[in-house]
Amino acid sequence: MKYKKTMNKSVIFIDFGGVYFFIDRPLVKKFSKMFGVPRKKIDDVLMGKNWTEYAEGRSTDKKYWRNVSDVLGITERQTRDMRKEWYSLVPQDGMVNLVRKLKKKYRVAVLSSITAGWVEFLEKKYKISGEFHEQHYSFDHGIDKPNAEFFLRAAKRMNVNP
């Protein structure tokens, strides 16, 4: 859906993790118990350097999850189950309706530090691309939050002043 010329020229950027989608923080604790691995080790492999490389588009889903499997010492099946659960986000109460309402007056775009595999999963489940005027993902820009350059590049691509 293209934004109408009569709309306000402002852009509202919406993040996915913890904003549009609910993030289940206790999952790391659950994985720690399931695999007998310290939570810090799970946190580090899911959200550390491994994450940054993937989120910035310098790695693949396959490589990311292979690294998770290797670091945690878990089987392929356990890794697939972990991936499915990790990627299974649910929209926060009211967010879908809020974004749809905002889209009537404003350009609404995703600006999110997320991986290509995650977006693919969310697209299959929610057809997420249809919910926003534009999507700006860290892997498309080659830069991750909190680097301000990510925000500036997205604004420039949308032809708006930050």
Side-chain angles (χ1 to χ4, degrees):
M1 171 190 230
K2 290 288 182 190
Y3 113 98
K4 299 173 189 165
K5 296 236 182 246
T6 57
M7 286 185 184
N8 186 313
K9 294 197 190 254
S10 299
V11 174
I12 298 173
F13 285 115
I14 307 274
D15 186 25
F16 273 171
V19 180
Y20 190 85
F21 288 104
F22 173 75
I23 295 288
D24 189 0
R25 295 287 181 215
L27 266 181
V28 172
K29 185 177 181 179
K30 178 182 177 178
F31 295 149
S32 175
K33 250 185 182 176
M34 275 172 58
F35 307 130
V37 176
R39 286 185 353 203
K40 178 162 179 18
K41 191 172 187 176
I42 292 173
D43 237 356
D44 287 348
V45 74
L46 289 175
M47 298 305 295
K49 183 181 176 201
N50 191 36
W51 168 266
T52 301
E53 287 179 2
Y54 188 21
E56 290 181 351
R58 296 181 284 124
S59 183
T60 63
D61 193 68
K62 186 176 181 176
K63 183 178 176 187
Y64 174 82
W65 287 103
R66 188 174 346 114
N67 192 36
V68 168
S69 177
D70 291 348
V71 168
L72 300 181
I74 59 178
T75 67
E76 276 188 46
R77 181 182 169 92
Q78 288 172 316
T79 305
R80 275 194 311 274
D81 292 346
M82 183 182 194
R83 178 185 184 271
K84 184 177 180 183
E85 196 161 352
W86 186 248
Y87 281 180
S88 292
L89 298 177
V90 176
Q92 301 255 32
D93 287 343
M95 283 305 295
V96 173
N97 289 335
L98 176 62
V99 168
R100 289 176 181 169
K101 187 175 179 180
L102 289 170
K103 277 179 61 178
K104 293 175 184 175
K105 285 190 168 187
Y106 301 95
R107 289 166 66 191
V108 181
V110 173
L111 184 87
S112 191
S113 171
I114 196 165
T115 62
W118 217 333
V119 170
E120 184 180 315
F121 189 90
L122 295 173
E123 185 63 31
K124 283 179 186 171
K125 189 169 182 176
Y126 297 109
K127 307 289 185 241
I128 200 68
S129 61
E131 296 295 330
F132 298 89
H133 292 110
E134 291 189 34
Q135 299 83 40
H136 295 274
Y137 301 122
S138 52
F139 62 88
D140 287 327
H141 288 267
I143 197 164
D144 199 9
K145 294 186 307 182
N147 190 324
E149 186 62 28
F150 182 29
F151 299 89
L152 296 173
R153 286 181 187 180
K156 184 176 182 176
R157 285 188 187 176
M158 292 189 75
N159 200 27
V160 295
N161 292 322

